[in-house]
Amino acid sequence: VGNLTRLQTDVVIAESKICTPSLVRQVHEAGMEAGVWTVNDEQAMERFVDMGVDYILTDRPDVLAAAIDGYQRMSSETKLVRRLERWLSRVRIS
């Protein structure tokens, strides 16, 4: 991605294939908002909500609204467990 602090913008919007937790963290640390496009799959929406993106561009706003509502209703402990489960599903333990 490079040095995000050199960008003259307030928002970085990445294509869903390259949007990672690390990228979202870097964008936020640079004082910018993070977005992702185009996300139409409900599980992917939930993953990006877990990452803390500020914007999700979608063709399915009803599905996104339900995913966000469900996330907001979760306790902080449940959110943490969900993020941990997602992380563990990506990690290979040898």
Side-chain angles (χ1 to χ4, degrees), residues 2 25 28 33 39 42 44 52 58 62 69 77 83 94:
R25 191 171 33 259
H28 286 157
E33 294 179 329
V39 183
E42 185 175 3
T58 183
D62 56 326
D69 184 57
E77 294 83 6
R83 287 192 302 268
S94 302

Side-chain angles (χ1 to χ4, degrees), residues 1-92:
V1 173
N3 184 352
L4 292 173
T5 59
R6 296 177 65 193
L7 296 176
Q8 299 292 319
T9 187
D10 297 323
V11 180
V12 173
I13 300 178
E15 200 237 336
S16 61
K17 293 177 185 175
I18 66 166
C19 187
T20 63
S22 176
L23 176 62
V24 172
R25 191 171 33 259
Q26 288 176 39
V27 169
H28 286 157
E29 287 173 357
M32 297 177 234
E33 294 179 329
V36 60
W37 61 275
T38 297
V39 183
N40 292 321
D41 176 72
E42 185 175 3
Q43 288 182 328
M45 289 174 186
E46 291 173 355
R47 188 175 70 247
F48 291 118
V49 169
D50 284 343
M51 281 185 212
V53 298
D54 302 291
Y55 305 99
I56 298 176
L57 283 70
T58 183
D59 297 320
R60 301 183 66 198
D62 56 326
V63 176
L64 178 59
I68 291 170
D69 184 57
Y71 186 81
Q72 290 174 336
R73 292 174 186 260
M74 289 180 194
S75 68
S76 58
E77 294 83 6
T78 302
K79 291 175 185 176
L80 180 62
V81 168
R82 187 164 107 167
R83 287 192 302 268
L84 180 60
E85 287 173 340
R86 288 188 194 284
W87 179 78
L88 286 172
S89 71
R90 292 189 315 266
V91 175
R92 290 184 177 248

